[in-house]
Amino acid sequence: MSVIVQKYGGSSVADVEKIGLVADRICATRDEGFGVVVVVSAMGKTTDELLGLARSIDPNPPRRELDLLLSTGERVSMTLLSMALQRRGCDAISFTGSQSGILTNDWHFDAKILEVRPVRVLDELARGRVVIVAGYQGMSYKREVTTLGRGGSDTTALAMAAALDAERAEIYSDVDGVYSADPRVVPAARHLGELTYGEMQSMSDAGAKVLHAPAVEFARGKDIPVHCRATFAPGRETRISRQALAHRRPFAVVGQPAIARLWVAGSDRERRIALQATRALSVVPYAETRGEEVTELRIATAHVPDWGRTRDTLMAHPGITLEEGAARVTLVGGSAEVHRATLRAVLAEAGVNVLDVDTHGERVSALVAATQQDDAVRALHARVILDPDTDD
Ligand code: ASP
Ligand code: MG
């Protein structure tokens, strides 16, 4: 049977009326003869509200309890959607992450999927049912409920699509795809019709919220086309696939807030011990640079739910210094080495103070003060993305 995986973001299932509209769409897809697996996010801002509730009790909530709490958001939307489908005469069943066979490591709040064993999902598909899967959650090998990081329902959807060898994955949200910059920051941002997996991966790794970063790898591994669409305004979409024509010059600018820099100094042994301390606290750096005397780590603190406490523990460690208040802006596409100089020149001209520049494959990033993030994104978009005169 050909399977289609559809994922609906929080705004698409924000209230009962929208859940009904989504149910109509799902019925229509099933009536075309596809096996349909639907991954849902929590309704509207539920996850933020639950997080706020937890923080009102403890600003650094224990991660295990937090994961159990946050996983309830998706359980609400999955059950309501299943009821809406059944009410329409469309046979359906909803599953939690654990029931759908999503096995993760034990990194609470930012868990990684280790394996998907969709035995129950396959059984129910074979019975002709639509299967609704709670996004954003899994079960660790310790049989604990885990969550996959904010925005993690995308990863659930594409991991499930890969495990089921789906025909395609459709990602529905309130935007009609991927843009050359966040349209709230850059109103002139361009819609991108097609992206390769690598291009999407680069944007997500740079911090773009459109698609959760670990998600893309699952689709790429099994060559599953991903279509990003607006739920309630059909029309344009972004298609991510192997066949997409790669961009030959920078095509997007991505800003990522809340970056902390951490320096670990000392002898080799002292540094190893200090780095072990950071790992024990489950702070995952997105970059680690080992210098002669100092190792630098960069951490996106939004991924650390108890950052206040974590930061204090790290700073108490001898040999560790830490600085917050930075943001990262990244030019994606083209040759990073070539565009390094352009990035520096454009930011200097815009009066943005650059703390550091680094390159990864087809990305070049500048670290800037958090207060200058949006100015930096706007300047780079105007001068590099929209201005055809910039060198390639
Ligand atoms: N509900 C979770 C969040 O808000 C997961 C998701 O929406 O993908 O981060
Ligand atoms: Mg989301």
Side-chain angles (χ1 to χ4, degrees):
M1 183 186 6
S2 289
V3 173
I4 290 189
V5 173
Q6 298 185 334
K7 179 252 170 175
Y8 291 93
S11 59
S12 307
V13 291
D15 56 43
V16 167
E17 196 194 332
K18 289 187 171 135
I19 288 177
L21 294 171
V22 163
D24 291 338
R25 157 117 25 130
I26 295 166
C27 294
T29 310
R30 204 230 18 195
D31 291 346
E32 282 172 43
F34 290 106
V36 186
V37 173
V38 180
V39 174
V40 278
S41 289
M43 293 171 72
K45 298 265 169 252
T46 303
T47 309
D48 289 327
E49 286 158 16
L50 292 171
L51 200 52
L53 213 51
R55 290 214 161 109
S56 69
I57 289 175
D58 181 349
N60 295 292
R63 294 181 196 179
R64 177 196 178 272
E65 306 304 326
L66 195 55
D67 272 1
L68 260 175
L69 175 70
L70 298 183
S71 76
T72 63
E74 273 72 9
R75 294 174 191 226
V76 172
S77 48
M78 79 180 197
T79 44
L80 293 177
L81 181 58
S82 178
M83 290 177 201
L85 285 165
Q86 294 180 45
R87 176 93 179 148
R88 282 163 176 71
C90 177
D91 205 2
I93 183 167
S94 65
F95 284 141
T96 64
S98 134
Q99 290 172 321
S100 358
I102 295 177
L103 299 178
T104 72
N105 65 7
D106 70 344
W107 285 43
H108 285 288
F109 200 77
D110 203 14
K112 300 284 164 280
I113 295 180
L114 300 175
E115 203 185 334
V116 180
R117 290 188 201 147
V119 275
R120 296 191 66 183
V121 174
L122 284 165
D123 254 7
E124 297 299 342
L125 284 174
R127 286 196 181 104
R129 288 186 167 146
V130 170
V131 181
I132 320 285
V133 172
Y136 176 54
Q137 57 183 269
M139 187 185 64
S140 76
Y141 43 72
K142 295 176 181 164
R143 302 188 71 82
E144 293 279 9
V145 172
T146 51
T147 64
L148 306 177
R150 296 303 307 272
S153 300
D154 296 330
T155 295
T156 307
L158 299 192
M160 200 40 92
L164 298 170
D165 248 319
E167 183 120 337
R168 64 172 182 272
E170 301 170 351
I171 306 285
Y172 290 97
S173 70
D174 52 358
V175 285
D176 57 1
V178 183
Y179 282 75
S180 56
D182 182 344
R184 282 165 302 190
V185 178
V186 183
R190 283 183 184 150
H191 182 265
L192 301 169
E194 279 193 44
L195 291 171
T196 65
Y197 293 118
E199 290 174 341
M200 188 66 239
Q201 184 78 64
S202 292
M203 286 186 74
S204 294
D205 286 342
K209 289 250 178 72
V210 272
L211 206 62
H212 194 231
V216 188
E217 204 46 51
F218 288 101
R220 187 210 299 250
K222 284 284 191 77
D223 209 354
I224 294 167
V226 181
H227 299 194
C228 300
R229 301 172 175 164
T231 316
F232 302 116
R236 286 193 302 199
E237 63 177 12
T238 298
R239 291 185 177 212
I240 305 157
S241 70
R242 196 179 302 287
Q243 290 79 33
L245 208 60
H247 292 83
R248 291 173 51 221
R249 57 186 308 280
F251 62 88
V253 185
V254 179
Q256 184 178 37
I259 304 295
R261 302 172 82 181
L262 201 136
W263 293 275
V264 186
S267 68
D268 275 357
R269 183 172 170 275
E270 284 161 345
R271 267 198 270 177
R272 267 201 309 275
I273 292 169
L275 286 170
Q276 245 166 27
T278 67
R279 286 179 194 125
L281 289 166
S282 301
V283 282
V284 191
Y286 69 79
E288 180 171 331
T289 328
R290 201 186 153 81
E292 286 280 304
E293 278 152 20
V294 187
T295 301
E296 182 181 341
L297 309 182
R298 295 201 183 147
I299 298 159
T301 62
H303 297 304
V304 188
D306 46 7
W307 174 243
R309 177 171 44 216
T310 304
R311 179 193 49 217
D312 294 347
T313 314
L314 288 171
M315 292 214 299
H317 207 283
I320 292 184
T321 44
L322 195 151
E323 206 172 279
E324 290 182 82
R328 179 167 64 147
V329 289
T330 303
L331 264 179
V332 186
S335 157
E337 285 308 325
V338 171
H339 294 290
R340 214 181 156 101
T342 318
L343 174 107
R344 279 199 181 274
V346 169
L347 292 181
E349 189 192 43
V352 174
N353 182 29
V354 173
L355 307 170
D356 191 35
V357 174
D358 62 290
T359 53
H360 304 261
E362 300 197 330
R363 293 183 272 149
V364 51
S365 306
L367 214 59
V368 303
T371 49
Q372 293 195 302
Q373 177 187 327
D374 288 350
D375 289 341
V377 168
R378 281 190 279 263
L380 288 168
H381 195 272
R383 293 294 316 279
V384 185
I385 307 297
L386 292 186
D387 187 348
D389 292 339
T390 321
D391 315 334
D392 281 346

